[in-house]
Amino acid sequence: MAAVPGTAESLEYARNLSDVGSITRLLHEYVSYQRTLDLNLDATLSHRIDLNNHLSDLHKSSADVLPVIKSDSDHTLSNLRSTSDLADQVTRNVRTLDLAQSRVSHTLLLIDAIVYRANCIDGDGVVKALDSEDFESAANYVHTFLQIDAKYEDSGSD
């Protein structure tokens, strides 16, 4: 065969043939090619029934499986929503605890300042310095007392 049947080249080749023998030979090649195409087409079409059966089975099985998948996905969605709600609640609790911890830390600092401020006046502070006539130390204690007092003057209103 000079060219693949059905192509522009094969048509051009057939038009250029002039003797009956070549035309007959080409006709037999084309008939043989047509029979091969028919066999391939028949084989392909014979699989169509199997494909239709498989498609039908797949459709039936998917009809059984889809409700299960929907139910599972709904359950998963419910679990995710519940988990999200719990995470939001934990976040709120952590924020509340963080605020409480911050307030406790501030209160402890305030207590330390109150104790230190009281020590500036009593005990080892101004009174002892004045008793020993160490006026510079007494002045430093008074200064420290006033600094602490100024720093925490608004804390009493909390």
Side-chain angles (χ1 to χ4, degrees):
M1 187 181 318
V4 176
T7 63
E9 293 86 17
S10 67
L11 184 60
E12 187 62 32
Y13 177 74
R15 285 185 182 153
N16 290 333
L17 291 177
S18 57
D19 67 287
V20 175
S22 295
I23 293 173
T24 303
R25 183 177 47 81
L26 185 61
L27 177 62
H28 288 291
E29 288 176 9
Y30 279 173
V31 169
S32 173
Y33 180 72
Q34 183 67 40
R35 284 186 186 141
T36 303
L37 288 178
D38 287 342
L39 289 173
N40 288 338
L41 183 59
D42 288 342
T44 302
L45 290 176
S46 71
H47 294 296
R48 183 175 182 198
I49 294 171
D50 292 338
L51 291 174
N52 283 339
N53 288 339
H54 288 307
L55 185 59
S56 177
D57 291 344
L58 182 61
H59 182 63
K60 288 176 188 173
S61 68
S62 68
D64 294 338
V65 172
L66 287 178
V68 173
I69 291 173
K70 173 142 178 37
S71 173
D72 286 351
S73 65
D74 289 344
H75 181 69
T76 302
L77 178 62
S78 173
N79 284 341
L80 287 173
R81 284 185 178 145
S82 174
T83 302
S84 175
D85 291 343
L86 286 173
D88 289 343
Q89 186 178 0
V90 166
T91 300
R92 282 191 300 274
N93 289 342
V94 166
R95 286 183 183 146
T96 301
L97 288 173
D98 187 46
L99 179 60
Q101 180 187 12
S102 176
R103 287 181 178 170
V104 166
S105 295
H106 178 72
T107 302
L108 289 173
L109 287 174
L110 184 59
I111 290 170
D112 285 345
I114 290 170
V115 168
Y116 189 69
R117 188 180 76 168
N119 286 337
C120 284
I121 301 300
D122 301 329
D124 294 332
V126 173
V127 173
K128 187 175 182 181
L130 288 175
D131 285 344
S132 64
E133 296 185 5
D134 185 0
F135 300 113
E136 187 176 338
S137 292
N140 286 336
Y141 281 119
V142 168
H143 179 70
T144 302
F145 174 87
L146 292 175
Q147 284 179 330
I148 293 170
D149 200 45
K151 183 175 179 181
Y152 293 101
E153 70 181 332
D154 291 336
S155 296
S157 63
D158 286 350

